[in-house]
Amino acid sequence: MRPFFLLSCPVRSKINGLRGFAWLALSALVCVLLARAELVQLQAAFETDARISHRLLSQRAVQHEAVLATLALLQPAALPGEPEPAAQRLSSVYPQILSVQRRAPTNPWPSASLQVAEQASGQTRAAVLANPDFTLDRGRYQLVLAAQPASYALLIDVHHTVPWSEWPMPVQTSPVRVTLEIAKGAAFVVQPGRLGDTGWRYEFRKHLASVSQPFELVAVRQVGWGELPWSVMALWTLGVAGMMAAWSAWQNQRNARRRAEELLRVGQVARLNTLGELAAGMAHELNQPLTAILANTHAAKRLLADDPMDLPTVQQAMAQAVAQARRAADVLGRLRRTVERPQAAPISETVDLEQAVSNALDLLQPECKRLAVTTALLVARPAWVIAERVALEQIVHNLITNALQALQQVPEGARQLTLHIEHGDGVGVLRVVDTGPGITPDTLPHLFEPFFSTRDGGLGLGLSLCETLATGMGGQLRANAQTERGAEFVLTLPLASHP
Ligand code: ADP
């Protein structure tokens, strides 16, 4: 089972890609929000300045009307055509009023436009604009009020109208352009400003709050890309990257810790499994020799009590017991080596296949006799194989034991076990053929699975152990379901070049 957090390389790089994308998206979102907040702030500041400018200029325009009305109301009897001395001093109080003209009823205005303006003023009873001159940086106009006995006209300079001391923006450096438009194309530039071509444009338009001087105040502000808070945005981007890197490092650390814990757990489980398998293998491999030793020593004990005593048979039984005990010791020694040095290569040597088979057959001869099984060893061609002697004998022993167990299911006269030694393609071959009930097609695919058994009390480990041992020596073990009757197991092992 693969722990869920042991990620493969493609999955890991996909996650890194997603992190990069998340960082980009988050940074972009933060930058957009910052830029938006800055733009909203700049627009609010611009509109505030524009409204203050509008209010200041409107106050001045209304002031001009008030001055005219006051002059008309308080006019003294003066020489016809001569403005009275007080009016002459107005310019010192109101620098935008360049001159004051007064027309006595008998005198005409110096220009026809003043005449027209006075007539209009007479009808509306309010001051009327005359001779506006908003060319280049000149901004002048006249304001005429019809009154009795004399009418008045003020010549006003727009530049001096602006109350610079109260002006909300630094006139030379402010980026806001402020103009007073009298008509389309005729405008006086109050403040030049700086207008670019790109970015965001804010505009404020409003007529002055004066009926006689309805100039339109136009304020324009162009916010360029350069005015966005780049340094703050860069800091945020770095901050987001830092936060994500910290988060990612924390996650990696957590994953590494979990991986280590999981590996430890898997290692422990694997160790337990190995120990379990080992115990089961030992039980399987030692069961048979121990049973044989017990049977032989029991037989010897019984024979020793006989009168007369059959000494040769007693000796034979004891020899069998010794051989089985040696085999058990060999198997245990091999298992010990495997446990102590699991990585160590098996001790391979050149083994005579016939000799190994004879040894195993000899050990099991009494059993064969007891079960009335006829055995035959047919050597088509002697074969020396590269193998671990004990492991090879274990395999042969298991195959013969299985065959004997299978043969018990058929009548005594039909119990036959034949072992063939041949050569294959670069391999030595041992075929173990019995005339037992054979293997059904259902069981054939499962024979080498651990713990698969059809026998009562069978552990189901013999064949799986044999296959492991055979492949460990570079060989193979397979089963054939005989077509006529019985089963056939074929063991192949690499041939040694020299005997
Ligand atoms: P066990 O002998 O403990 O059952 P094995 O792994 O040695 O375990 O054998 C697995 C199964 O393979 C046996 O239960 C049996 O069904 C089948 N088998 C093995 N050898 C033979 C044989 N010679 N003839 C028929 N069936 C066999």
Side-chain angles (χ1 to χ4, degrees), residues 64 67-68 71 90 97 99-100 141-143 152-156:
H64 299 151
V67 166
L68 267 181
L71 282 173
L90 267 178
I97 300 177
S99 66
V100 181
Y141 62 91
Q142 285 186 294
L143 208 56
Y152 286 90
L154 301 180
L155 176 61
I156 295 166

Side-chain angles (χ1 to χ4, degrees), residues 120-162:
S121 170
Q123 283 165 10
T124 57
R125 298 190 169 278
V128 170
L129 187 74
N131 301 326
D133 178 12
F134 283 15
T135 49
L136 294 174
D137 53 352
R138 257 168 82 90
R140 289 183 181 185
Y141 62 91
Q142 285 186 294
L143 208 56
V144 180
L145 181 69
Q148 291 298 331
S151 298
Y152 286 90
L154 301 180
L155 176 61
I156 295 166
D157 181 355
V158 181
H159 182 70
H160 287 103
T161 305
V162 186

